[in-house]
Amino acid sequence: MKYVMTEAVAPEGMALLDQSEKVYVAHDANPANYTEEMKDADALIVRAAPAKIVNKAVMEAAPQLKVIGRTGVGYDSVDVDAATELGIPVVITPGANNRAVAEHSLTLMLALSKNLVEAQVEASKGNWAIRDAHKQFELYGKKAGIIGLGRIGQATAKLLNALDMEVIAYDAHESEAGKKLAEYVSLDELFARSDVIFLHCPLFPATEGIINKENIAKMKDGVILINNSRGQLVVEQDLADALNSGKVYAAGLDVVSTEPIKGDNPLLTAKNCIITPHISWAAQASRQRIMDITVDNIKAFLEGNTVNQVNK
């Protein structure tokens, strides 16, 4: 049994693999760059990677490939249609990082509403007068809009409810569990009513670029945007323009369209923008759960069982 991994996971996760099994860690998101290692791979484990980087050509160059495991819930890095055509199951890890991502969303919102970054920078310069800028504000009673009320969206809603925020949500598939946590509304109504908007939806053609100048124009002046989902949900120049004009008060982003972020990304110089390097999922407990589920998924498939497959 040979595992090929685009990146290593936490040591606790690596320890789950049997000593007798071969493991090749590429430290490279593109399997086309190590085709020799892929030739005898039985399982490919994909971490953060560009859309459809695991394409049909990569799979066809790996004749022994039996299963592809994605360490997360998004699977846009894999050409699922090609995998289905070739009979290769693609498995994900639902539920593994719900709480970690939800907490990161809350952290970004709190940091922005309390102006923590500027306050820390100015205080470190000895500028104690930054306290008189009065940029921080309370979240009590504010409206939070969640686009995508799946597992992570629901975990976020629970935290927002605890802060006594009014939670509304848009999701193409409404659920009874979601109705207990938020009021479902149309997308346009969410844009119009929300003080803070959270993106927790998958990347599909219908959601790509959902945060664009047309939809930003529908939002309240001074809205906060939080994105811990996929960078491609946002038209980055449009968001940067809205931040610089003040239409969007602040943005907290754990993802960008190209990762690692490029120096010419307009969000790097936009006002009131916190960018973290795609770490919302990476709490220690979350990393362990992700690897546990990934390895369990793969071993289940090799034993003839179906677990967490997206292309049945």
Side-chain angles (χ1 to χ4, degrees):
M1 177 69 181
K2 179 180 178 180
Y3 290 83
V4 172
M5 306 174 70
T6 59
E7 296 288 342
V9 296
E12 300 91 343
M14 298 295 291
L16 294 172
L17 300 174
D18 297 337
Q19 295 298 314
S20 60
E21 294 172 324
K22 297 179 182 178
V23 180
Y24 174 75
V25 181
H27 300 295
D28 184 338
N30 188 357
N33 293 334
Y34 37 94
T35 53
E36 285 300 313
E37 294 293 343
M38 290 295 297
K39 283 181 179 178
D40 59 346
D42 296 290
L44 173 63
I45 296 178
V46 184
R47 294 196 56 199
K52 293 190 177 180
I53 197 74
V54 183
N55 54 37
K56 188 174 183 179
V58 165
M59 299 177 211
E60 289 179 331
Q64 293 184 202
L65 190 61
K66 301 176 180 65
V67 60
I68 299 170
R70 169 73 178 91
T71 58
V73 292
Y75 47 87
D76 47 285
S77 54
V78 180
D79 186 336
V80 175
D81 290 338
T84 303
E85 180 184 339
L86 296 171
I88 302 171
V90 179
V91 294
I92 58 174
T93 60
N97 58 9
N98 297 352
R99 180 70 185 204
V101 176
E103 288 183 2
H104 198 82
S105 295
L106 192 72
T107 299
L108 289 172
M109 179 185 68
L110 290 169
L112 291 166
S113 67
K114 304 310 176 190
N115 198 39
L116 290 188
V117 173
E118 183 183 24
Q120 190 277 328
V121 170
E122 292 302 311
S124 69
K125 298 175 183 177
N127 179 20
W128 216 245
I130 188 62
R131 63 184 295 190
D132 299 322
H134 303 305
K135 292 183 179 180
Q136 64 272 28
F137 57 88
E138 288 187 351
L139 292 161
Y140 175 81
K142 293 290 193 298
K143 294 180 178 64
I146 302 175
I147 301 177
L149 201 62
R151 292 182 177 92
I152 294 174
Q154 289 178 27
T156 303
K158 290 177 182 178
L159 298 177
L160 298 171
N161 285 329
L163 290 178
D164 291 320
M165 297 183 73
E166 179 184 341
V167 183
I168 59 178
Y170 169 77
D171 197 302
H173 305 286
E174 298 182 7
S175 69
E176 291 304 314
K179 290 177 181 178
K180 295 177 181 178
L181 297 167
E183 173 194 356
Y184 282 109
V185 297
S186 70
L187 187 59
D188 282 352
E189 186 175 349
L190 184 143
F191 287 140
R193 290 175 56 188
S194 299
D195 298 296
V196 187
I197 295 175
F198 297 84
L199 300 181
H200 286 309
C201 53
L203 176 63
F204 294 129
T207 59
E208 185 172 4
I210 195 170
I211 303 302
N212 54 40
K213 61 183 178 182
E214 291 80 14
N215 285 333
I216 290 171
K218 301 172 185 176
M219 298 177 190
K220 286 184 176 182
D221 292 344
V223 68
I224 291 176
L225 177 74
I226 307 294
N227 185 14
N228 284 335
S229 185
R230 288 290 183 271
Q232 294 86 349
L233 300 174
V234 175
V235 178
E236 292 174 333
Q237 186 62 62
D238 291 355
L239 176 58
D241 291 344
L243 286 164
N244 291 329
S245 72
K247 172 66 178 181
V248 174
Y249 171 71
L253 312 171
D254 188 49
V255 288
V256 291
S257 61
T258 301
E259 299 177 5
I261 194 168
K262 293 185 176 181
D264 61 354
N265 190 308
L267 292 168
L268 286 172
T269 54
K271 295 178 181 178
N272 293 342
C273 186
I274 296 177
I275 300 173
T276 54
H278 206 151
I279 58 171
S280 61
W281 63 275
Q284 184 174 357
S286 174
R287 295 198 311 270
Q288 182 65 55
R289 285 193 298 269
I290 285 173
M291 194 58 190
D292 286 350
I293 296 172
T294 300
V295 173
D296 286 346
N297 285 343
I298 288 172
K299 290 186 174 181
F301 270 97
L302 296 176
E303 294 169 0
N305 299 316
T306 300
V307 182
N308 296 327
Q309 184 178 355
V310 299
N311 60 337
K312 296 178 182 179

